[in-house]
Amino acid sequence: MTRRRAWRVVAIVAAVAAPSLMGCGEDEPAVEDPSEHACEHRSIAGAALASSAERATAPTITVGEETYTVTPSATERTYLRVVVTRDTPALLFTSVANVVTGLYEGDAQVTLPAGAPNELCAAEIPEHFDLDFHEAGDWFIELGPSAVPSFWLLLTEATGHAHEALVQSPSPPAAR
Amino acid sequence: MSAGRRLRSASIVVAMSATGCALDAGHGFGTIEDATFSAVFVAGAARDLGDSTVLTDLAYHVRIEHAELEVQSVALEELRGAGGAVFDPAHPPPGYTLCHGAAGSGDCHHEDGRVVSYAEVMAELAGGSASFAPVVSFALDARLDLLDGSIVELPEPSPSRELPRATLSRLTVRATALSVRGEVSAGPEVGGLGPRVVPLRIDLPVERPITMGLARPLDRDHERAIQLSVAVTVDGALLDGIELASLAEDPSAPIVIDDPDGAEAERIADALAASDVEVAF
């Protein structure tokens, strides 16, 4: 083998090995979009619980992976409790729209953001809310009186939900 | 033809081709071939008690016998004067919380609870220099039965079916009046109507448009032919937040909501402006 050919072989080996040496082959696991996760778990009924007319006795739901089948009231507002331990952006998904009607931080009612369908499975999850549990403590999700006997619910962390690319207003069109 | 003249002719053809002017004379970057519109009231599973009766968030039962929306116009708009405003949805601008959705057609949540399209966020960031301007509009001027929800053909577009190069950033539906007839019963256990059934009459002007963010380029890279379909759905939250019993103190009179400056009108305007809109091109 000539010296030139030897260096060529070394270069090729180095080029092949470099990604492994730099750890480029070990991609960080992608964070699943919670919306996609919710669609995948829509068929899981989860824990059954009945919402309470009083915040003091409201059952607790967790911010996480657990799904719930919630029984609301047909005649009055009821509540679910969320125990927050740190600043937590979260997403609340429901199988019916217009069942979540309010949000409380302790005893103080706060603005409930506008709901919107889960874009990835709008028919199955016609409403979701982007919630910002910005303080630790007990938060309450208010449910309105409902014409459905029960509905599916998932409250999960919002990690992976935000869009990543910059958004820019379009440039004016070229002169015609 | 001399060589010089041949060269000049070839240059002109190349230049005109590059600007997209020569090959498709008479057509714009988009052509409205067909356009339809519909508006319908759908209570939704959580609010539908059957027999045309809607459950409100205060437990009133509202039987809707008639609901009509007067629609003035439908417009497809572009955002002008934003000057290339940029924002990072991962780090929303002040006043906004979470942003999400596909690039260009997503939305952000404002601290006041509003959901604002990316285009409207950019317009707000650009301040007074940016505004939405119609690329094409349809003067519908029709009363639509919300309980029927029929699809109607939109009239001839203005200024033209042939659309210029632009990016359609917003759809705006301008309605002028809402009319509802029905009857109300039930409500909260304390302070509701109890066994009474009270006629309901709503006649309100509509001043806030129904809008939806878009991100539809009109250029050579996208389908030129457009079959526009706009569908508005008003849902069962239309009468939420209204203490109907407080408007029925006279047992011999119907509940009338016709004061455009009243709190009830504000609630209904909010609900109407939040109607779901589906647009197809």
Side-chain angles (χ1 to χ4, degrees):
Chain A
M1 181 186 289
T2 65
R3 181 176 295 179
R4 180 177 295 178
R5 182 173 291 179
W7 278 115
R8 200 179 301 158
V9 169
V10 169
I12 291 171
V13 169
V16 171
S20 299
L21 292 173
M22 293 189 291
C24 295
E26 299 170 1
D27 291 334
E28 289 186 11
V31 177
E32 184 184 26
D33 184 337
S35 293
E36 187 178 339
H37 181 80
C39 294
E40 293 170 354
H41 285 71
R42 172 62 185 88
S43 59
I44 302 172
L49 52 79
S51 52
S52 170
E54 301 294 332
R55 288 195 290 276
T57 54
T60 300
I61 61 173
T62 58
V63 181
E65 306 280 311
E66 188 168 7
T67 59
Y68 298 92
T69 296
V70 179
T71 299
S73 166
T75 59
E76 60 184 343
R77 290 172 170 170
T78 56
Y79 302 89
L80 301 170
R81 181 195 311 267
V82 182
V83 178
V84 175
T85 57
R86 56 178 172 81
D87 182 7
T88 305
L91 296 166
L92 176 65
F93 299 94
T94 58
S95 61
V96 291
N98 291 323
V99 66
V100 176
T101 56
L103 183 66
Y104 284 75
E105 181 182 358
D107 290 328
Q109 187 167 17
V110 298
T111 301
L112 176 70
N118 182 333
E119 296 158 354
L120 301 179
C121 56
E124 289 77 22
I125 302 178
E127 195 157 60
H128 87 284
F129 299 87
D130 290 49
L131 304 179
D132 182 16
F133 297 122
H134 53 82
E135 293 282 350
D138 285 0
W139 290 69
F140 298 92
I141 294 168
E142 179 187 86
L143 308 177
S146 177
V148 293
S150 66
F151 65 95
W152 173 95
L153 177 150
L154 169 66
L155 180 63
T156 188
E157 290 209 30
T159 306
H161 189 57
H163 183 65
E164 293 180 357
L166 294 178
V167 176
Q168 182 170 14
S169 62
S171 302
R176 292 185 287 276
Chain B
M1 181 185 287
S2 68
R5 185 174 290 177
R6 280 198 294 272
L7 184 59
R8 276 199 296 278
S9 296
S11 300
I12 291 170
V13 169
V14 168
M16 292 182 72
S17 299
T19 59
C21 297
L23 301 180
D24 210 1
H27 288 295
F29 287 88
T31 300
I32 303 285
E33 294 187 343
D34 187 41
T36 61
F37 181 86
S38 68
V40 67
F41 176 81
V42 178
R47 303 302 188 92
D48 189 351
L49 294 173
D51 192 27
S52 303
T53 303
V54 179
L55 176 64
T56 77
D57 68 335
L58 296 180
Y60 288 100
H61 296 191
V62 182
R63 186 167 182 279
I64 297 182
E65 296 161 352
H66 170 85
E68 200 171 72
L69 186 68
E70 201 166 314
V71 179
Q72 180 184 58
S73 65
V74 178
L76 297 171
E77 301 168 330
E78 64 175 343
L79 180 61
R80 294 180 184 171
V86 178
F87 77 94
D88 180 4
H91 302 284
Y96 294 92
T97 55
L98 284 172
C99 297
H100 57 90
S105 64
D107 48 52
C108 299
H109 292 258
H110 195 274
E111 290 172 343
D112 62 11
R114 290 178 298 139
V115 175
V116 184
S117 70
Y118 283 169
E120 287 170 315
V121 172
M122 286 186 282
E124 292 185 13
L125 290 177
S129 65
S131 63
F132 288 94
V135 174
V136 63
S137 61
F138 305 83
L140 182 55
D141 293 317
R143 288 173 165 267
L144 301 179
D145 182 347
L146 293 176
L147 300 185
D148 179 44
S150 295
I151 298 173
V152 298
E153 287 284 333
L154 286 169
E156 193 64 22
S158 174
S160 170
R161 289 181 175 273
E162 302 301 331
L163 307 183
R165 184 173 175 181
T167 298
L168 301 177
S169 299
R170 189 173 76 173
L171 170 93
T172 294
V173 177
R174 295 195 184 279
T176 54
L178 174 71
S179 172
V180 177
R181 298 289 183 271
E183 54 187 27
V184 185
S185 60
E189 202 169 303
V190 176
L193 291 173
R196 292 171 61 197
V197 179
V198 183
L200 171 69
R201 180 164 65 85
I202 299 174
D203 289 298
L204 288 171
V206 178
E207 293 174 3
R208 286 170 54 188
I210 300 168
T211 62
M212 176 184 174
L214 301 172
R216 175 52 161 92
L218 299 173
D219 57 26
R220 292 178 64 82
D221 295 328
H222 291 79
E223 178 66 40
R224 180 174 60 78
I226 293 174
Q227 279 86 34
L228 179 67
S229 164
V230 179
V232 173
T233 302
V234 181
D235 72 15
L238 180 65
L239 299 177
D240 275 5
I242 300 176
E243 287 283 0
L244 292 165
S246 69
L247 305 175
E249 291 175 353
D250 181 349
S252 65
I255 294 171
V256 176
I257 301 176
D258 61 2
D259 177 6
D261 299 320
E264 296 81 19
E266 182 73 21
R267 292 271 190 178
I268 292 172
D270 285 346
L272 204 55
S275 295
D276 182 58
V277 182
E278 289 189 19
V279 179
F281 291 95

